[in-house]
């Protein structure tokens, strides 16, 4: 029995009890090592229907889709149809933002590396037609510019929708069709769906959510987010083995199973090179490449991406120098704890790599003077209000608005404690994760300019 076989046997044996421990309804796992693959699944795809998970069951991969979108863009680069230094406006002449200079000058490479600088959490539903993405991008003209393009990192869903529209324009076909023709077909994928209409013919996981903080989880009321956000991760679903096939192409210098070229080898390598460093919030990578999230401190390069949709969470980790990749797809509960146990075991056994521990509040947190941090930080989807009470405790109020309210988000209040220089952390975990909040910059009056939670949220009025 090979080491991979041993890992596969461990997953099949342990996965059901780990699902119960972390209250995850179902999960699918696939692992690649030395050119061979093992996969497994367990649990219920929907607690309402009782349909069981199998290795061929589809889960939504959420924002892992962004690596697929980046790959579609880099195919255009390989073909000489676009360059990373090209202004986006050169290919999308009608592209507008609130800041006309930024809209005119920001580049394709800046969109790929999440350094475009405009507000990125935009989930406008523009319908289910083939013009959904075109209409979405046409509606971005009032988006605020948070910082000049290229200045820093701020995770940007809307930016990836713009990239998806770029693919549509240069290919002359809807984004869904580009996915199928440019990636599904050459990679030989059989259990992947670019939309709910294709997913429904398969065994499909349903996300699970809590209608109230202390209520048990139930199947989510809707399966997917709007088609207009497809390039950012709203609809793409597949079985773990098919996501692994995509990762394998990146491991094998851009080659498809039949030996044909999907991406040039140099392009594959360029996508994995750091383009921007991230704030030290420890729940994302340390840097970002072109689509890929990059993780330091493992003794070998690690690239990947995570994803979240309505009640589903996904994880992909790839070790290019070790020929190892692992996929974990879930549909509720505490997916981060399951990630730690399953992906942690796989990488430890196959590559002697220890996954980074998730951040937790210190047992004896230092007293914090929150004068620099207190205030309201505002985005299109929520106001984040940081305050300090008379007894010295620090609080975060999340007040959803507009599209977030329509998606069912509810106000939340959580306590924060000191974690690292200019960084606080939530005392209570949400879905198994204690979220760190970094406070960056200066508004000119001694207060932080941004609250950074992966995306930069500006101080209101700054």
């Amino acid at each position: 029995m090979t080491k991979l076989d041993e890992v596969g046997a461990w997953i099949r044996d342990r996965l059901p009890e780990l699902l119960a421990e972390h209250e995850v309804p179902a999960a699918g796992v696939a692992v690649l090592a030395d050119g061979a693959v093992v996969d497994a699944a367990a649990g219920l795809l929907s607690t309402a229907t009782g349909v069981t998970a199998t290795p061929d069951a589809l889960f939504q991969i959420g924002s892992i889709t962004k690596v697929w979108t980046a790959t579609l863009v880099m195919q255009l680069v390989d073909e000489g149809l676009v360059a990373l230094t090209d202004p986006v406006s050169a290919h999308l002449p009608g592209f507008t933002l609130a800041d006309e200079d930024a809209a005119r000058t920001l580049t394709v490479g800046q969109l790929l590396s999440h350094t475009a600088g405009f507000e990125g959490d935009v989930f406008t539903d523009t319908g289910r037609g083939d013009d959904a993405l075109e209409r979405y991008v046409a509606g971005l003209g009032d988006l605020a510019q948070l910082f000049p393009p290229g200045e820093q990192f701020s995770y940007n869903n809307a930016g990836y929708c713009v990239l998806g529209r770029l693919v549509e324009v240069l290919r002359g076909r809807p984004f869904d069709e580009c996915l199928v023709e440019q990636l599904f077909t050459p990679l030989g994928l059989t259990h992947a769906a670019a939309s709910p209409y294709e997913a429904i013919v398969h065994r499909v996981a349903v996300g699970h959510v809590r209608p109230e903080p202390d209520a048990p989880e139930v199947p989510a009321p809707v399966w997917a987010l709007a088609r207009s956000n497809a390039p950012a991760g709203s609809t793409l679903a597949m079985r773990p083995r098919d996501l692994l096939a995509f990762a394998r192409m990146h491991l094998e210098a851009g080659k498809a199973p039949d030996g044909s070229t999907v991406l040039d080898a140099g392009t594959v390598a360029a996508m994995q090179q750091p383009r921007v460093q991230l704030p030290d919030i420890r729940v994302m990578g340390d840097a970002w490449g072109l689509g890929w999230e990059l993780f330091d401190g493992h003794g070998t390069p690690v690239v990947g991406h995570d994803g979240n949709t309505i009640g589903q969470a996904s994880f992909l980790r790839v070790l290019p120098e070790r020929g190892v990749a692992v996929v974990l797809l879930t549909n509720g509960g505490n997916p981060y704890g399951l990630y730690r146990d399953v992906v942690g075991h796989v990488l430890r056994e196959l590559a002697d790599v220890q996954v980074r521990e998730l951040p937790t509040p210190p047992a004896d947190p230092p007293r914090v003077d929150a004068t620099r941090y207190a205030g309201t930080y505002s985005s299109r989807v929520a106001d984040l209000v940081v305050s300090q009470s008379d007894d010295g405790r620090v609080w975060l109020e999340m007040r959803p608005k507009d599209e977030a309210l329509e998606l069912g988000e509810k106000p939340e209040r959580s306590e924060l404690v000191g974690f690292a220089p200019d960084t606080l952390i939530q005392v209570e975990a949400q879905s198994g994760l204690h979220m760190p909040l970094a406070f960056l910059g200066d508004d000119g009056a001694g207060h932080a300019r941004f609250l950074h939670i992966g995306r930069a949220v500006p101080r209101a009025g700054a």
Side-chain angles (χ1 to χ4, degrees):
M1 180 179 284
T2 67
K3 193 67 173 177
L4 179 61
D5 290 331
E6 292 177 4
V7 166
W10 182 90
I11 294 170
R12 289 187 291 273
D13 179 58
R14 291 277 286 134
L15 188 57
E17 59 188 85
L18 288 172
L19 293 180
E21 178 182 337
H22 296 295
E23 299 181 322
V24 174
V29 185
V31 183
L32 168 70
D34 298 324
V37 174
V38 298
D39 58 9
L44 297 179
L45 297 176
S46 168
T47 57
T49 64
V51 175
T52 56
T54 67
D56 283 344
L58 275 59
F59 293 74
Q60 287 187 304
I61 68 167
S63 285
I64 296 175
T65 301
K66 291 183 175 69
V67 189
W68 295 68
T69 300
T71 300
L72 292 174
V73 172
M74 297 308 290
Q75 287 177 326
L76 297 170
V77 173
D78 284 348
E79 294 172 33
L81 297 175
V82 69
L84 295 178
T85 54
D86 285 354
V88 175
S89 58
H91 302 283
L92 301 179
F95 178 64
T96 59
L97 298 166
D99 186 321
E100 294 180 3
D101 288 340
R104 187 179 65 255
T105 60
L106 75 87
T107 68
V108 173
Q110 288 165 344
L111 286 178
L112 286 166
S113 60
H114 295 280
T115 59
F118 58 86
E119 186 165 356
D121 284 336
V122 183
F123 305 107
T124 310
D125 188 344
T126 56
R128 300 178 181 180
D130 287 346
D131 63 346
L133 200 48
E134 179 182 7
R135 294 173 61 196
Y136 174 95
V137 173
L140 300 181
D142 63 344
L143 275 190
Q145 195 71 24
L146 308 181
F147 50 83
E151 182 178 273
Q152 61 175 296
F153 174 88
S154 183
Y155 192 81
N156 195 319
N157 285 292
Y160 265 76
C161 295
V162 175
L163 289 169
R165 178 60 184 154
L166 175 71
V167 171
E168 286 191 336
V169 168
L170 294 181
R171 291 289 181 206
R173 297 189 296 280
F175 180 78
D176 293 357
E177 292 182 16
C178 295
L179 272 176
V180 173
E181 294 176 15
Q182 299 296 130
L183 292 174
F184 287 14
T185 299
L187 294 176
L189 306 186
T190 60
H191 289 69
S195 80
Y197 303 106
E198 288 82 43
I200 197 64
V201 302
H202 298 277
R203 187 179 288 245
V204 183
V206 174
H208 290 73
V209 297
R210 298 186 191 279
E212 300 293 339
D214 296 326
E217 286 198 330
V218 298
V222 294
W223 186 74
L225 294 164
R227 185 181 182 187
S228 54
N229 276 78
S234 65
T235 59
L236 187 55
M238 63 193 63
R239 63 177 176 174
R241 184 180 282 262
D242 279 21
L243 180 51
L244 205 61
F246 171 79
R248 185 171 189 165
M249 178 270 291
H250 280 270
L251 275 173
E252 297 182 351
K255 296 297 183 182
D258 64 1
S260 61
T261 297
V262 178
L263 275 180
D264 288 349
T267 300
V268 170
M271 291 178 69
Q272 299 172 14
Q273 296 304 307
R275 296 280 174 151
V276 60
Q277 295 297 126
L278 271 64
D280 186 20
I281 55 174
R282 307 187 197 182
V283 294
M284 300 177 81
D286 300 281
W288 225 272
L290 300 172
W292 287 111
E293 200 171 349
L294 312 179
F295 302 86
D296 295 337
H298 296 292
T300 187
V302 178
V303 305
H305 213 292
D306 297 342
N308 287 278
T309 60
I310 303 173
Q312 300 197 51
S314 54
F315 305 87
L316 170 64
R317 295 292 181 271
V318 181
L319 281 60
E321 293 182 356
R322 305 289 179 86
V324 170
V326 55
V327 169
L328 171 65
L329 307 180
T330 71
N331 67 338
N334 171 7
Y336 297 99
L338 188 66
Y339 161 82
R340 178 197 62 217
D341 291 346
V342 173
V343 176
H345 179 86
V346 169
L347 296 186
R348 188 167 54 249
E349 293 297 311
L350 294 179
D352 196 26
V353 164
Q354 188 75 34
V355 299
R356 180 184 300 163
E357 288 293 324
L358 293 171
T360 56
D364 186 18
R367 183 174 178 84
V368 171
D369 177 359
T371 302
R372 167 169 158 75
Y373 314 135
T376 298
Y377 302 82
S378 186
S379 72
R380 286 171 65 107
V381 296
D383 287 333
L384 304 176
V385 182
V386 178
S387 62
Q388 188 162 28
S389 54
D390 292 341
D391 61 2
R393 299 169 76 181
V394 184
W395 300 93
L396 170 69
E397 291 183 66
M398 191 278 289
R399 301 172 181 171
K401 55 190 182 185
D402 302 331
E403 295 163 359
L405 285 172
E406 293 175 8
L407 291 172
E409 294 284 345
K410 294 181 171 57
E412 296 176 356
R413 186 171 188 261
S414 56
E415 185 174 5
L416 307 175
V417 295
F419 180 64
D422 265 352
T423 304
L424 307 178
I425 189 170
Q426 291 179 322
V427 173
E428 297 295 329
Q430 297 181 353
S431 298
L433 180 67
H434 299 269
M435 186 69 196
L437 296 80
F439 294 85
L440 307 180
D442 192 286
D443 69 347
H447 306 119
R449 182 182 172 203
F450 295 107
L451 187 164
H452 209 296
I453 48 175
R455 59 270 290 148
V457 185
R459 180 179 291 274

